[in-house]
Amino acid sequence: MPLTLIKGSDIVKRSYYLILGFLPAAVLIALFFITPAIWGVYSSLTNMALVGKAARHLQFIGFQNYFRLFRDDAFFTSIINSVKYVIGSAIIGQFLLGFVLALLLEYTESKGVKGGNVVYGVVMLAWLTPALVSGFEWGAMYDFYYGTLNNILKIFGLSKINWLGKVPMLSVIIANIWQGTAFSMMIFDSALKTIPPELYEAAKMDGASHWQSIRYITLPLIKNIAVIDLISVTMATFGAFLMIMTITSGGPGMKTTTMSLYAYRSAFENFRIGYGCSISMVLLVINLIFGFTYLKVLKKIS
Amino acid sequence: MFVRSKWIVVCLIVLMMILSIGIVMNAAKKITVRVWYPDESGIKAKYMDQAAEVFKKDFPNVNLEITRFRVPPGDFKTKLLLALASGEGPDVIHFSGGSNIAEFADAGYIVPLDKYVNAWPDWSQYPNAVKSGVTYEGHVYAIPYGLDMRWLYYNKNIFKAVGLPVPWQPKTWNDIINAAIVIKERAPDKIPYVLYAGVAGSGGTLSQGFLPLFYGAGGKLYDSKTGKWIVDSPAYRKTLEYYRQAFLEYKLVPQEVMTLPKPWTTMRKKLFTGELGILYEGGWVYGGAMSMYGPEKTEKAVGYILMPSEDGKFFFTIGGSGTVWYVSAQSKHPELAWEYVKRFNCKDIVAKLNLEAPHPVARMDSANIPEFRAMKYMVDCTNSLKYARFLPIKPELNQVAYRIQLLTSRVASGEMTVEKAMKKYISEIKADLGAENVEVIQ
């Protein structure tokens, strides 16, 4: 029943229930997301530390952490690394690969080819494995001396490759694609299922090629969902930490140190909480910019 | 009938509640002393219990709670600091010394132990070098039990196979490089030499990689007269030049040292299994191998020697206070916390624990027990402490160590020349510590 047809008293009653229903979630979100975020903003404006004199004398230092941050080479390196990681593993990897996989699965299913479910299941298995476990698995794959990949190369008589030394960023990107593609695939798969098959049949009758059906039917119909997927994989990857931490710990040197790793290193290895928080704040702002840009683009193309 | 039994049940419940409240109240009255220690291998538990038994006999009314954390030291530190920052820390802390002493003392987490050690006759058993290793700004803050020292190790089988002398004692840095070149030429399937570098080397990059060279080139990290960190000196350049030669010019050290997640686990194993020729590592590595492969096999496979200085004028080791005991500043009963520390650090426990996990003993009377003197390795590593040079006990050391990790990997990977890497290092350290806290020695 449309809301406009409800009597005034009903609306009050209804919104009362609505509020009551929202309340637990709202309280939890406020407690576990908003409060820490506010605490993070506050901490980033202090010299908060767990060791040394600063641990004893907490001081409000204004924007000093941020001034330092923008003079810190390592911080800029970490931003560039984060962007590389997100473009490589989230946008090119998970998002596109997820889409292509979902498309292939749909296509083979429509042709009556069996085995699609097996592929779906295998991809999902990677996603269901905890990131920590996958991280260790990939670490074992890439290991120079005892790793699976180099042992495979040995079987073919090829010389060993120092994966984590020569191509560290690519290595962690591949591991993350392996782990995360299932999410995008799942989203796209369900989006594709919402497209009525008659549309494709009609297009076929009109003599459209496969590419044309994708271009003019599939893409326009799933673009909203695609943007939502893009936002979530981008944000998740920006904040991602475990995979890189377990495989390379950000090394060699700073080569795979992303912003979240740098924030962690500052806060929990050097124990400068204030400085670590200021890094997270910049990370938050960058994430928001990405989110808004996607939504803007979505509005434009709609 | 039912009514009456109901009443009985109610009465019983009430009685039980009163009793349990009484027990809880009584327990609350009982003083609790909490002890935290990290121990992955589990060797320490029985010694903790031994000390606890004596403690409980002397203080029957005190509740002693000992918690073992099966996590690596870095994770334990995070856990401990978060607990201390929220006021939930233990009374007694067992953790590594070195720069932590300064960091913890500055943060106000630990108390000076001066008044306790002055009244403790056993304190005279600790040599002055050991005492100064736990003294910060004139106060004793920790009690060590077993010290850290390091060796230059070489695999005897590889040395014999390529025609190098065994026993081996290089006189200069060049001797080490030359021996590694011989291994590389005559045994191409072996790794000639491992020198830790980069972030992957963790704490080992500073104390097992950089410092054994830097101190041997006459370098100093901290100028105690001016109270400033030395960020550039000829010793820095010489050390980095050595890194460049070892990694790039002669390709003696594999680049993977900087990319393996925990290079030390791989490299220690390779040293003892005969796949690696030369490695600078902690004394505890030999100790670990003795308990894994047996003392005889270990001695046959691997030799250990002091590190020569650049020009061979002196030989030395890098020393450290090892894992130590602190009394928390948050403890409501520091005198009881101290009583536990004292009981753990008795002659017997210190000797036996160090025999089981070989380290030089902190108190000299522990070295006099027959089992200790019968073990050649224990005598050797305790003697090496005469030649030990220590790390500066300063709260900034961990920050400096991290910058040195980056410095070494930039040179060793060929990413930067020595000159460029030094420039970057100096600017980073200045940003970290403040330009007024650093100095350059020409």
Side-chain angles (χ1 to χ4, degrees), chain A residues 18-289:
Chain A
L18 273 177
I19 290 168
L20 207 68
F22 275 128
L23 207 61
V27 168
L28 288 179
I29 286 174
L31 206 62
F32 294 109
F33 290 94
I34 298 173
T35 317
I38 293 170
W39 184 85
V41 174
Y42 162 75
S43 308
S44 75
L45 302 174
T46 67
N47 68 345
M48 192 180 289
L50 289 182
V51 289
K53 291 204 165 77
R56 208 190 306 206
H57 308 288
L58 179 69
Q59 269 175 351
F60 186 80
I61 54 166
F63 289 96
Q64 271 185 45
N65 281 330
Y66 293 92
F67 295 145
R68 256 197 74 185
L69 205 56
F70 292 110
R71 285 199 309 264
D72 184 354
D73 284 352
F75 174 64
F76 287 103
T77 311
S78 76
I79 294 183
I80 292 167
N81 286 339
S82 280
V83 172
K84 278 187 199 165
Y85 188 59
V86 167
I87 292 177
S89 79
I91 300 175
I92 297 178
Q94 296 178 14
F95 179 75
L96 284 182
L97 188 64
F99 176 63
V100 171
L101 272 174
L103 214 56
L104 281 175
L105 282 175
E106 265 312 286
Y107 182 72
T108 49
E109 203 185 304
S110 70
K111 291 278 170 206
V113 180
K114 287 207 174 116
N117 281 341
V118 177
V119 175
Y120 195 94
V122 168
V123 177
M124 285 297 287
L125 266 182
W127 189 57
L128 290 174
T129 314
L132 192 69
V133 178
S134 321
F136 280 117
E137 280 171 5
W138 278 96
M141 295 273 275
Y142 288 131
D143 189 276
F144 182 75
Y145 293 103
Y146 311 106
T148 315
L149 288 178
N150 280 345
N151 271 321
I152 293 173
L153 289 179
K154 209 167 134 194
I155 293 171
F156 293 105
L158 299 166
S159 56
K160 288 176 177 174
I161 294 174
N162 182 6
W163 301 98
L164 299 179
K166 290 270 167 358
V167 282
M169 188 49 99
L170 185 68
S171 302
V172 288
I173 284 175
I174 290 173
N176 197 45
I177 293 174
W178 176 84
Q179 158 99 45
T181 302
F183 178 75
S184 295
M185 181 192 76
M186 210 165 57
I187 299 279
F188 281 119
D189 190 56
S190 40
L192 291 176
K193 286 213 161 62
T194 60
I195 302 173
E198 299 85 47
L199 286 179
Y200 292 112
E201 278 159 27
K204 212 175 169 188
M205 299 264 261
D206 292 340
S209 67
H210 281 309
W211 170 242
Q212 280 171 327
S213 334
I214 293 174
R215 170 76 183 78
Y216 295 106
I217 300 173
T218 318
L219 289 182
L221 284 174
I222 63 163
K223 66 173 184 264
N224 289 2
I225 294 170
V227 169
I228 300 290
D229 179 61
L230 202 55
I231 291 176
S232 51
V233 293
T234 305
M235 288 193 173
T237 310
F238 249 120
F241 168 77
L242 273 177
M243 198 59 132
I244 302 184
M245 188 68 190
T246 41
I247 299 177
T248 64
S249 310
M254 290 273 302
K255 286 196 181 108
T256 52
T257 301
T258 55
M259 290 174 78
S260 49
L261 252 89
Y262 194 52
Y264 172 82
R265 177 154 287 146
S266 302
F268 295 110
E269 278 177 13
N270 298 330
F271 301 105
R272 291 180 298 171
I273 304 285
Y275 197 60
C277 282
S278 65
I279 298 169
S280 318
M281 286 305 130
V282 178
L283 184 64
L284 183 74
V285 170
I286 292 179
N287 250 331
L288 287 176
I289 292 172

Side-chain angles (χ1 to χ4, degrees), chain B residues 193-264:
Chain B
Y193 182 21
V194 161
L195 177 65
Y196 293 129
V199 179
S202 192
T205 294
L206 180 68
S207 36
Q208 276 104 256
F210 185 84
L211 281 186
L213 296 163
F214 184 72
Y215 281 170
K220 256 168 91 182
L221 274 182
Y222 185 79
D223 187 341
S224 46
K225 279 188 201 125
T226 58
K228 290 180 180 187
W229 286 89
I230 300 167
V231 291
D232 194 3
S233 68
Y236 269 104
R237 313 280 169 150
K238 287 176 184 170
T239 305
L240 293 176
E241 180 53 28
Y242 184 94
Y243 264 93
R244 194 192 62 75
Q245 283 181 12
F247 277 87
L248 300 172
E249 190 175 338
Y250 303 113
K251 295 198 166 53
L252 304 170
V253 186
Q255 290 285 322
E256 292 74 49
V257 165
M258 291 180 286
T259 54
L260 290 170
K262 282 183 181 168
W264 57 90

